[in-house]
Amino acid sequence: MDFILNPYYLQIGMFIMINAILGVSIYLTLATGQLSLGNAGFMSIGAYTSALLTLKAGFPVYLAIPIGGFAAAAVSAVIGFPALRLKGLYLAIATLGFGEVVRVVFLNLKITNGALGLSGIPSLGILLGKALSSAGFDQGMGGLSVQQLSNVSVLLILLILVVFLVFFSLRLSRCRVGRAFAAIKTDETAAEAMGINTTYYKLLAFLLGAFIAGVAGALAAHITFYIGPKDFDYHRTVEILLFAVLGGSNLVWGPILGATLLTMLPEVLRAASDYRMMIYGAILVTMMAFRPQGLISEETLRFWKAKLGRRKEHDLNS
Amino acid sequence: MKLFAMKKVRKMIAGVAVAGLLLSVSGCGSTASAPASGSGSAQSGTIGTAKIGVVSFLTGGGAAYGKAIKQGLEMAKEEVNTQGKVKIDLLFEDSRGEKNEAINAANKLVNKDNVVAIIGPTLSGEMFAVGPIMNQAGVPIMGTSTTAEGITDIGEYVFRNALPESLAIPAAVKKAKEKYNLKKVALMYSNNNDFTVSGYKTFEKAVKDNGLEIVTTETFADKDVDFSAQLTKIASLKPDAVMVSSLYQEGALILKKAREIGIKVPFVGGNGFNSPQLIKIAGPAAEGAIVASPWFPNKEDAAVKKFVSDYKAKYNEIPDQFAAQAYDALKIMATALEKAGSTTDRKKLRDSLAAIKDFQGVTGKFAFDAKRNPVMSATVLIVKDGQFSELK
Amino acid sequence: MFWQQLVNGLTLGSTYSLVALGYTLIMGVLDIVNMAHGEIFMFGAFTGLILASHFHVNIFVAMLGAALVGSLLGIILERVALRPLRRRAVSHLAPLISTIGVSIFLESVALKVFGPESQAFPQTLAGKIYTIGPMQISLVQVVILAVAFGLMLILRFWLARTKIGKALRATAESTETAGILGVNTNLIIVLTVSLASGLGAIAGVLVGLTFNAVEPTMGMSMGLKGLAVLILGGMGNITGAMFGGLILGVAEVFSVAYGASSYRDAVAFGMIILILFVRPQGLFGAKDQTGGR
């Protein structure tokens, strides 16, 4: 129990959840075969919107976070229309460029405090702690201090959100919208010929991705107390892309596994200190050489399903 | 059982289980750190070994600063361990200049390695993220290079011995104005770095306070190498001086380019100019560059001379401000630990840190004010014959 | 000031062009964005620096040495990160990621080996400064412009006229067909990557020389600019890379000279967003992409 409650692991857990949400956001745009690298940009829009609303306008956090998501979605609607005419690498680089432009704008605006960033953002943990105290748990509960309790509850909230998003994505892939996404991914022209409104569905995927990225950004802002333009640069974009590619982008489990592994990897490699980024780079190259489709693909799932199914039968028989 | 037969739920559970498993695997690798207990006081005269964590920018773009900080700290550690009453064990963790990594690094040091205090992180932005967490956990944290406004407002466990620009820059601007009879100046700063932006704001205020006219304000970004456009523009406006808030690398390149295209007016720099590297990179172009600093490697002071020669012997370079402030920071920590009489009590350490007064370090006489900011004085320096000397 | 700024812009632009040439060659033939190109560029700069400051060689020898090291790195890159992917049908994301992996690897190796500090070429190489009317132009600026244009012309000629050039273009058109027609496509691909990397390394030396700063993270920002030029000029288009680079350089410099310098970094990507919406194939791209010309 102590192990689970160690703030170090709790914090990593929170980062994993945030990154998993980001992973879902890129998965959704990739579900239509669109490679959008604007997620860091959308994330920053969500983060700044939410942080500014709470800091300057006194909005409650639980309202500011979804508004951050909507702000990101609104911006994505504006750039989505022209951008989605582009295909493949062109779209990737245009959205990458969008992210850079957003970063430079935040760097120059007065209200965002430029490179100094926004500090003292109300923290989710502390707010929950206060709520818990006022609810009569100020002595903690079950031997846990308020701080531990609030950290655990933040992690739980994030976990619930991730579970919900996974559930949502799985549902989506089995309904009309998801099938349209899949059709567009396989062959856009054929999908259009079959009467699917490709522009609509592509824009929908783009908007969903942006909304989720915005929410993730807002959550990150309220977990780390501070945001600056540097947090949303090219490196972040690449990181988010890696979640999907390393984990596998065909199933929602892929980006989640990718986010989990890639968040933990630098921590696990801490012992390697100077060499850790080298190892990180080498892992990416090796991974692509041996498993370019990502760690989880449909076959992986089928394989494990078969195997687990067999084991269950075996258990029943014995 | 019916529940588990449902595909979705099973998948979900499998996913959560995998995530949990991975988490635990990652943790098991190195949980063997023994808890630092209070029973360290083995020999009489010493109060045991204190574990101090360091979060620094050790790899990536700003690694040059992290390296100087690390070297300064290690020198101080050796000296403290050979002479002091308290022994110090330093644990370094890399933040790569990213706030999330800085948070993880600090959390690891505190919750796995049980350090008594933290020195670092390198950037103000990282401190704004790490500071509140450490403050909440009650761990003293001291920045050696975090100069931005509002750092110590985070809470009472947050300290810094980095000289705020609000002390150094106005001194340099005032001196330069008197010396060169300045009327109009151009400002330049790196706009994607919290340190230099905060320096720029101080510059702007100091320049206005001194009644100088600003002809233009030009920005660039860290790691930029081409400054010809900005400098050509500045040259055409003919200012009496150029004020630059940048790190040393960009500062040196700016000086070089400026001299090359014929800008001969004095350059006044922020804290970033205060590095031997500036002179090393810019060469003769650095002549006449002005900076105010508490750290002055050619100071007529026994402690400074010893530090510079020892450092040079060990690392084959002249210590810069980052190294000097890190060196002092650990010495301050050691003094506070001795006074606290414990190597594990974080609360006691905080209180004795806050009470530090009349500490004599290589960056001069030092004390913390009521808000845990440093009280120290700055000397205005000018580069002359390839060396920093006092501008009188 | 206008003329001087134009010179500044053209100098900056020619460095972008040089970097973009490498991108565009690989893009044209392999349909891949080589994200490690910036880091090969950086290794080239360091090789040149070491040759010039430790072995005191002439700058052209330093460039040659850098080109050799660059090509070697290119060959290794091709073997390690691209060839394994080519054997199987993979999404176009895979090579992107594996080259990102290589770039992270190379950057951290450079940080370890060369240290994080910025280093400069020996002063003697910086060269003279000429004053022509209202303009000042340094020898290095002239050299970099000349080398950039020279390389572009050589490349174009080589691609259009020589046998290997033709084979390269055939491979760009269709790897399979070229293979059937007796072109050793594997060899051509290795050649392309090593050529592009050699060019990148030369660009590294020239950029290091022009701006007097060589450091491990220099590949990153330059790489991003090169990517922007790739789109601006049209993917896989050599003339496009050349002029796209110059246009970008001049645009950036003029944004500082006559606008706000703080938006300089948005210029590159603002421009490509605009270009993509108006003319997605790039300024010089043909309507349907053809590679290598």
Side-chain angles (χ1 to χ4, degrees):
Chain A
M1 201 61 187
D2 268 359
F3 165 74
I4 301 280
L5 289 175
N6 189 324
Y8 174 46
Y9 299 118
L10 282 178
Q11 189 80 55
I12 295 177
M14 289 182 209
F15 287 143
I16 289 177
M17 294 305 152
I18 301 264
N19 286 340
I21 297 175
L22 286 169
V24 174
S25 91
I26 197 165
Y27 161 79
L28 280 176
T29 36
L30 277 172
T32 58
Q34 315 287 307
L35 173 57
S36 158
L37 297 180
N39 294 46
F42 294 128
M43 190 187 171
S44 70
I45 292 171
Y48 271 103
T49 310
S50 178
L52 284 172
L53 283 176
T54 49
L55 279 174
K56 306 254 153 111
F59 270 59
V61 174
Y62 57 86
L63 257 181
I65 291 175
I67 295 178
F70 284 117
V75 175
S76 80
V78 175
I79 75 148
F81 254 119
L84 291 176
R85 287 180 19 224
L86 304 170
K87 293 199 173 71
L89 277 173
Y90 288 90
L91 177 70
I93 297 177
T95 44
L96 183 73
F98 160 76
E100 277 294 293
V101 172
V102 170
R103 189 180 63 83
V104 174
V105 168
F106 281 139
L107 209 50
N108 281 295
L109 286 183
K110 196 139 209 160
I111 191 165
T112 56
N113 207 12
L116 295 173
L118 297 170
S119 55
I121 301 169
S123 136
L124 219 50
I126 292 172
L127 286 174
L128 273 177
K130 276 194 192 134
L132 285 171
S133 300
S134 60
F137 291 114
D138 50 341
Q139 293 308 310
M141 188 176 62
L144 302 181
S145 70
V146 178
Q147 196 197 334
Q148 282 173 321
L149 215 54
S150 58
N151 278 341
V152 173
S153 19
V154 172
L155 188 61
L156 271 180
I157 291 175
L158 292 175
L159 184 67
I160 291 168
L161 210 58
V162 172
V163 170
F164 169 75
L165 282 175
V166 170
F167 183 69
F168 174 77
S169 315
L170 289 175
R171 289 290 305 168
L172 196 71
S173 59
R174 295 208 181 82
C175 76
R176 206 184 138 83
V177 178
R179 297 202 196 283
F181 283 2
I184 295 171
K185 185 178 185 175
T186 323
D187 187 337
E188 200 178 324
T189 325
E192 195 153 17
M194 287 192 313
I196 295 172
N197 185 346
T198 52
T199 317
Y200 168 76
Y201 284 110
K202 275 159 69 180
L203 196 63
L204 181 69
F206 197 63
L207 279 177
L208 274 175
F211 176 77
I212 296 173
V215 169
L219 286 167
H222 291 286
I223 281 173
T224 55
F225 309 90
Y226 169 84
I227 48 169
K230 218 181 124 225
D231 301 334
F232 309 103
D233 60 2
Y234 162 81
H235 289 107
R236 176 55 60 102
T237 304
V238 170
E239 199 188 352
I240 300 174
L241 175 64
L242 292 181
F243 296 154
V245 178
L246 191 80
S249 56
N250 287 333
L251 296 165
V252 68
W253 301 110
I256 294 200
L257 179 69
T260 312
L261 288 178
L262 285 175
T263 317
M264 289 186 334
L265 199 59
E267 293 305 312
V268 177
L269 292 179
R270 270 203 183 281
S273 59
D274 281 5
Y275 298 95
R276 71 187 173 132
M277 288 322 279
M278 281 184 222
I279 299 173
Y280 187 88
I283 288 178
L284 291 183
V285 178
T286 326
M287 178 70 208
M288 284 302 111
F290 293 106
R291 225 183 141 67
Q293 71 273 42
L295 286 171
I296 298 185
S297 65
E298 277 94 347
E299 291 98 78
T300 332
L301 218 60
R302 231 173 284 138
F303 172 78
W304 283 105
K305 223 178 259 175
K307 192 156 187 178
L308 289 175
R310 219 178 302 134
R311 187 175 299 161
K312 188 161 280 170
E313 258 167 49
H314 185 76
D315 287 349
L316 285 175
N317 292 341
S318 62
Chain B
M1 269 295 101
K2 200 183 171 202
L3 193 78
F4 282 90
M6 282 168 62
K7 280 185 212 158
K8 265 176 241 155
V9 176
R10 202 172 61 196
K11 263 193 232 168
M12 217 174 280
I13 289 173
V16 172
V18 167
L21 197 72
L22 286 165
L23 243 179
S24 59
V25 168
S26 79
C28 288
S30 47
T31 34
S33 67
S37 62
S39 59
S41 51
Q43 296 133 351
S44 60
T46 67
I47 51 167
T49 304
K51 277 208 261 184
I52 291 180
V54 182
V55 178
S56 196
F57 199 158
L58 295 171
T59 60
Y65 308 101
K67 187 178 140 204
I69 290 170
K70 188 175 181 184
Q71 291 176 352
L73 288 172
E74 279 184 336
M75 271 214 44
K77 183 187 98 173
E78 278 174 25
E79 287 176 22
V80 169
N81 283 354
T82 50
Q83 0 173 301
K85 273 199 220 150
V86 60
K87 299 266 178 287
I88 284 176
D89 191 6
L90 287 178
L91 290 95
F92 289 94
E93 287 296 345
D94 180 19
S95 71
R96 290 198 293 132
E98 292 203 9
K99 65 161 197 200
N100 287 5
E101 292 242 6
I103 291 176
N104 283 341
N107 265 327
K108 172 186 177 281
L109 287 167
V110 170
N111 298 305
K112 258 177 87 177
D113 301 326
N114 261 313
V115 297
V116 63
I118 291 207
I119 293 181
T122 310
L123 308 176
S124 298
E126 294 175 288
M127 184 56 121
F128 277 126
V130 174
I133 296 173
M134 293 298 110
N135 193 56
Q136 206 191 1
V139 182
I141 178 165
M142 179 149 87
T144 65
S145 55
T146 45
T147 50
E149 198 91 359
I151 289 278
T152 54
D153 292 340
I154 294 169
E156 56 175 10
Y157 279 86
V158 181
F159 295 79
R160 65 166 154 198
N161 78 328
L163 178 82
E165 286 111 343
S166 53
L167 264 170
I169 287 171
V173 172
K174 191 156 177 283
K175 196 89 172 199
K177 186 199 166 195
E178 286 163 6
K179 185 95 184 164
Y180 297 101
N181 193 21
L182 306 179
K183 295 265 178 329
K184 49 179 190 175
V185 296
L187 293 182
M188 282 183 91
Y189 71 101
S190 163
N191 78 339
N192 70 343
N193 180 317
D194 45 28
F195 165 78
T196 56
V197 170
S198 130
Y200 154 71
K201 289 192 171 163
T202 320
F203 258 123
E204 198 187 17
K205 190 170 174 297
V207 163
K208 280 184 182 153
D209 287 350
N210 278 294
L212 300 172
E213 183 201 342
I214 300 173
V215 291
T216 181
T217 303
E218 295 298 320
T219 69
F220 50 91
D222 279 9
K223 301 281 167 193
D224 269 6
V225 287
D226 175 37
F227 304 97
S228 55
Q230 290 95 328
L231 288 167
T232 305
K233 189 172 170 185
I234 286 175
S236 73
L237 295 166
K238 299 196 170 45
D240 299 330
V242 184
M243 315 264 165
V244 185
S245 175
S246 72
L247 299 172
Y248 67 73
Q249 183 177 317
E250 292 78 23
L253 294 176
I254 286 173
L255 282 167
K256 249 180 152 161
K257 190 75 200 174
R259 301 307 186 211
E260 191 184 307
I261 66 171
I263 302 179
K264 298 202 169 62
V265 299
F267 273 70
V268 182
N271 272 351
F273 264 42
N274 184 23
S275 167
Q277 292 287 337
L278 181 92
I279 303 173
K280 197 175 148 200
I281 300 173
E287 290 295 297
I290 297 164
V291 64
S293 162
W295 167 241
F296 174 27
N298 298 328
K299 197 170 175 178
E300 289 300 319
D301 180 292
V304 173
K305 283 198 165 146
K306 184 175 178 305
F307 172 59
V308 172
S309 69
D310 286 357
Y311 192 95
K312 223 176 151 182
K314 194 158 178 203
Y315 303 111
N316 198 24
E317 57 189 31
I318 299 169
D320 64 3
Q321 184 193 355
F322 290 93
Q325 281 179 339
Y327 175 86
D328 272 359
L330 193 65
K331 288 279 180 95
I332 292 169
M333 241 353 151
T335 315
L337 280 166
E338 272 175 32
K339 285 207 181 120
S342 159
T343 54
T344 50
D345 192 327
R346 291 165 180 163
K347 178 82 179 67
K348 272 191 191 159
L349 175 61
R350 190 220 85 89
D351 292 342
S352 78
L353 261 179
I356 287 276
K357 252 197 239 63
D358 296 329
F359 172 84
Q360 192 63 44
V362 291
T363 57
K365 209 167 125 182
F366 180 92
F368 282 115
D369 70 5
K371 288 196 71 186
R372 300 163 308 284
N373 278 317
V375 181
M376 53 212 292
S377 56
T379 326
V380 180
L381 307 173
I382 185 164
V383 178
K384 211 172 156 190
D385 303 325
Q387 276 196 325
F388 283 111
S389 53
E390 202 175 336
L391 179 67
K392 284 180 186 136
Chain C
M1 185 170 92
F2 174 82
W3 293 107
Q4 182 62 47
Q5 294 287 30
L6 191 66
V7 170
N8 294 341
L10 288 176
T11 314
L12 183 67
S14 53
T15 65
Y16 292 163
S17 302
L18 273 174
V19 175
L21 277 181
Y23 271 116
T24 216
L25 261 179
I26 294 182
M27 181 74 218
V29 175
L30 287 167
D31 229 7
I32 281 172
V33 175
N34 175 16
M35 299 298 278
H37 192 66
E39 277 61 35
I40 289 173
F41 158 89
M42 176 264 298
F43 262 86
F46 270 108
T47 311
L49 182 89
I50 290 166
L51 286 176
S53 55
H54 290 281
F55 300 98
H56 308 287
V57 298
N58 161 316
I59 192 62
F60 293 101
V61 180
M63 264 164 28
L64 197 70
L68 280 176
V69 170
S71 329
L72 198 68
L73 279 174
I75 293 169
I76 297 171
L77 170 88
E78 201 275 338
R79 270 293 155 95
V80 173
L82 300 179
R83 189 170 295 187
L85 302 184
R86 213 160 50 239
R87 291 214 194 91
R88 32 176 137 187
V90 295
S91 80
H92 59 290
L93 279 179
L96 198 70
I97 303 299
S98 74
T99 51
I100 287 176
V102 173
S103 80
I104 295 175
F105 182 81
L106 286 180
E107 190 187 301
S108 28
V109 167
L111 272 168
K112 189 82 200 147
V113 176
F114 306 120
E117 291 97 357
S118 148
Q119 300 173 37
F121 276 90
Q123 288 288 325
T124 44
L125 292 173
K128 287 196 212 61
I129 293 169
Y130 306 102
T131 310
I132 312 164
M135 293 179 285
Q136 279 187 322
I137 188 163
S138 70
L139 187 62
V140 183
Q141 283 176 317
V142 178
V143 170
I144 196 166
L145 269 169
V147 171
F149 271 100
L151 281 176
M152 181 191 80
L153 289 177
I154 292 170
L155 262 181
R156 291 204 51 158
F157 173 80
W158 186 72
L159 282 175
R161 298 291 154 81
T162 63
K163 197 165 176 217
I164 303 177
K166 282 178 186 158
L168 204 145
R169 272 161 48 212
T171 312
E173 209 75 43
S174 161
T175 315
E176 273 165 38
T177 320
I180 293 167
L181 292 175
V183 175
N184 183 346
T185 52
N186 258 342
L187 185 74
I188 289 295
I189 289 171
V190 174
L191 193 74
T192 313
V193 178
S194 71
L195 182 70
S197 304
L199 282 178
I202 292 180
V205 177
L206 286 171
V207 170
L209 211 57
T210 317
F211 301 126
N212 258 311
V214 176
E215 48 103 14
T217 53
M218 71 190 282
M220 164 79 217
S221 53
M222 214 43 164
L224 277 180
K225 294 286 163 63
L227 217 54
V229 172
L230 182 69
I231 294 280
L232 199 64
M235 290 202 188
N237 186 308
I238 286 175
T239 321
M242 194 62 216
F243 287 97
L246 293 179
I247 291 168
L248 180 61
V250 172
E252 280 195 2
V253 165
F254 277 23
S255 79
V256 173
Y258 301 105
S261 44
S262 52
Y263 279 94
R264 175 179 181 159
D265 278 350
V267 168
F269 285 101
M271 265 171 89
I272 63 164
I273 290 179
L274 215 71
I275 279 289
L276 282 175
F277 293 162
V278 183
R279 203 182 144 79
Q281 70 271 37
L283 287 176
F284 296 83
K287 193 79 197 169
D288 54 323
Q289 280 299 308
T290 50
R293 246 162 296 163

